[in-house]
Amino acid sequence: MTEPEPHSGVYVDGAWRAGSDGRTFEVRNPADDSVLATLADASAPDASDALAAAAAAQSSWGATPVGTRAGLLRELHNAVLERAEEFADLITAESGKTLADARGEVGYGAQFLAWFADQASQLPHGEHYTDPAGAVRILTQYRPVGPCLLITPWNFPLAMITRKLAPALAAGCTSVVKPAAQTPLTAVRLVELLHELGLPAGVVNLLSTTRAVEVSEAVFASPALRKVSFTGSTGVGSALLRAGAERVVNSSMELGGDAPLIVFDDAEPDHLDQVLVAKLRNSGQSCIAANRILVQDASADAFVEALAERFHALRVGAGRAEGTDVGPLIDDAAVRKVSRLVDEAVAAGARIAAQAPLPEGPGSYYPPTLLVDVPGECAIAREEIFGPVACVSRFKDEADAIRTANATQAGLASYVFTQDLSKALRVGTALDFGIVGVNRGFVSTAAAPFGGIKTSGLGREGGLHGLDEYLECQYLSLPVNSPT
């Protein structure tokens, strides 16, 4: 295989190359708008070539022994951890998140490589049994679903790739990976490592591009595509489902959230630390970020006062700067969106209870803001904020909390804070969300099934179920031999 070209973002059939039409795009640091790299901008012909390469490699990769596939994932896991600081610095540079958050993401992303290396050795072996009438032997076996399109977002540029790519490789699927245009450099580095580890040509192909629609349409146009896995907005996810409907493409969708965080009067004294984690990790740019904080009446005033103190003390700045608590948003468009939501809420009667100061100079920053008394009809009370803004409202009792929390079409993550285990289980079970964090604001782990219900998606990633998304069950019907 050829050595990678500098600043290439297109990797097809085991080789790095320029885009088919020579176009490039710049990757910028949201902390200061500096240019980090210029990458090839993939187009439709590149996408068609990438899927063709994946299709050509599918048979041999699917037939590769499970132990070999698992061994590659373990090697990649070790290689990532050996370069943990390099990856963290790269993630911070292109996404803006703090180094502490980026280091956490490297560990989290590497978890998926190790987890699915272990899961590969436990692939479903199928069943063999006889039907009730005794006439048919039923044999089931599992095989890879086939070439996949893996589309990942900008907010977790390593973990969202490994969460999809690791089970695909473990199951024996080839893939075309399309990272977000804002954060492709981490994906490029990961594929470089796979290249160095000797991954067979065509098994993983990478398309860095600003032309997401054009590239996706080219991939969906081919009957070779058998699966799409997407993490991102509900609107884009719906469009991808429509695109795959004609050929009934197997689909996994991890889409937008509207996470309620419920704080009962009997919450643990140190719950504020976990509330801040749920709200402000990655500057609030997470699909499982607490979008609505619901606090029981009796403790609401004290909660707001204590949270306001914490917000005032937050240090905003570049992710690489020492002591930074909250980094920039991904770009100026994100800042404008959050600013619009807050301005509309304030105009409608919401009150800013706290706001952290911003650093001087360039960068896509928005001040961490605590909003109270937000009218229910405001957009910020109904839309995913994706920024460092906490909206606090009150509830009367358990039934009121559940009713308010469930008043959304989204159903990804939710949080419950109480010292009463029975209440936690009762409320958690009543919440219409795929994930419920109890007394903790960080719920992500490779060992747990991650995914939502309603408009928040289809399928699960990670956990014992993540590998199933990349496998198909085949049934063989055999006659039972007649007694002689």
Side-chain angles (χ1 to χ4, degrees):
M1 291 186 285
T2 60
E3 291 301 314
E5 293 291 332
H7 306 306
S8 177
V10 178
Y11 181 77
V12 175
D13 202 19
W16 296 93
R17 71 189 206 185
S20 60
D21 60 6
R23 272 179 47 172
T24 60
F25 69 99
E26 294 177 338
V27 182
R28 292 180 175 270
N29 186 334
D32 57 15
D33 202 38
S34 61
V35 176
L36 298 170
T38 301
L39 295 186
D41 194 356
S43 61
D46 300 309
S48 298
D49 289 349
L51 186 61
Q58 177 59 55
S59 178
S60 60
W61 183 247
T64 299
V66 169
T68 301
R69 302 198 301 255
L72 175 72
L73 288 174
R74 291 190 182 96
E75 288 185 55
L76 184 59
H77 168 265
N78 295 337
V80 168
L81 291 185
E82 286 169 3
R83 297 160 179 80
E85 202 60 22
E86 175 191 348
F87 270 102
D89 191 64
L90 191 57
I91 291 168
T92 292
E94 65 177 348
S95 76
K97 66 177 61 177
T98 66
L99 266 176
D101 272 356
R103 287 169 179 146
E105 182 184 345
V106 174
Y108 176 48
Q111 275 184 23
F112 288 104
L113 301 171
W115 175 260
F116 284 110
D118 292 340
Q119 293 301 305
S121 62
Q122 302 175 45
L123 278 169
H125 299 294
E127 304 87 17
H128 177 203
Y129 56 98
T130 305
D131 80 323
V136 176
R137 294 186 189 277
I138 297 168
L139 176 67
T140 65
Q141 56 189 14
Y142 292 82
R143 61 186 191 183
V145 68
C148 307
L149 173 61
L150 310 178
I151 305 176
T152 60
W154 48 261
N155 54 345
F156 292 91
L158 178 65
M160 296 303 96
I161 289 180
T162 58
R163 195 163 75 182
K164 299 178 188 298
L165 185 59
L169 289 171
C173 296
T174 60
S175 62
V176 175
V177 179
K178 194 207 80 60
Q182 297 95 325
T183 58
L185 301 180
T186 302
V188 168
R189 187 69 188 105
L190 187 71
V191 173
E192 285 177 353
L193 289 182
L194 281 168
H195 181 99
E196 292 165 12
L197 291 171
L199 180 74
V203 174
V204 174
N205 304 272
L206 178 70
L207 299 172
S208 294
T209 183
T210 63
R211 294 175 276 187
V213 173
E214 175 184 330
V215 162
S216 296
E217 286 178 348
V219 175
F220 275 99
S222 170
L225 179 68
R226 293 311 314 143
K227 179 175 184 67
V228 58
S229 179
F230 169 74
T231 296
S233 72
T234 299
V236 174
S238 296
L240 290 171
L241 286 170
R242 288 192 294 271
E246 183 177 351
R247 291 196 176 91
V248 195
V249 174
N250 183 311
S251 301
S252 297
M253 296 282 148
E254 195 262 282
L255 308 177
D258 182 15
L261 187 150
I262 302 170
V263 181
F264 285 98
D265 287 341
D266 63 347
E268 294 280 356
D270 63 351
H271 66 277
L272 276 182
D273 290 337
Q274 294 300 314
V275 171
L276 286 170
V277 169
K279 176 66 257 184
L280 295 179
R281 186 165 69 109
N282 195 23
S283 303
Q285 298 173 116
S286 168
C287 54
I288 59 173
N291 213 50
R292 300 169 289 145
I293 300 177
L294 315 177
V295 187
Q296 199 159 12
D297 278 332
S299 57
D301 290 341
F303 177 90
V304 169
E305 182 179 353
L307 193 60
E309 290 182 8
R310 302 291 287 272
F311 265 69
H312 280 304
L314 291 169
R315 290 164 292 185
V316 183
R320 288 168 166 163
E322 186 175 351
T324 294
D325 297 311
V326 178
L329 300 189
I330 188 62
D331 53 29
D332 288 346
V335 174
R336 289 192 295 271
K337 176 202 169 185
V338 176
S339 181
R340 172 182 58 80
L341 290 173
V342 172
D343 290 347
E344 288 177 356
V346 171
R351 177 171 62 88
I352 295 178
Q355 201 164 52
L358 288 181
E360 296 181 357
S364 300
Y365 295 100
Y366 190 86
T369 301
L370 176 60
L371 279 181
V372 296
D373 303 327
V374 179
E377 66 273 13
C378 287
I380 202 168
R382 296 177 283 104
E383 295 181 17
E384 191 172 26
I385 301 170
F386 237 64
V389 179
C391 297
V392 178
S393 60
R394 300 168 181 256
F395 67 89
K396 297 176 183 178
D397 53 24
E398 194 174 308
D400 187 25
I402 293 169
R403 182 171 54 253
T404 304
N406 285 339
T408 175
Q409 284 302 303
L412 184 55
S414 56
Y415 304 87
V416 177
F417 288 82
T418 175
Q419 296 184 61
D420 184 337
L421 180 58
S422 294
K423 183 192 296 181
L425 291 172
R426 189 168 58 246
V427 173
T429 301
L431 292 174
D432 290 334
F433 296 85
I435 301 167
V436 182
V438 177
N439 293 331
R440 57 176 316 187
F442 185 80
V443 295
S444 299
T445 171
F450 191 102
I453 60 176
K454 299 187 286 188
T455 62
S456 287
L458 302 168
R460 294 295 182 266
E461 295 184 315
L464 300 175
H465 308 277
L467 204 57
D468 295 343
E469 300 287 330
Y470 295 88
L471 295 169
E472 289 183 323
C473 178
Q474 184 183 45
Y475 151 51
L476 279 67
S477 178
L478 308 173
V480 173
N481 292 331
S482 301
T484 56

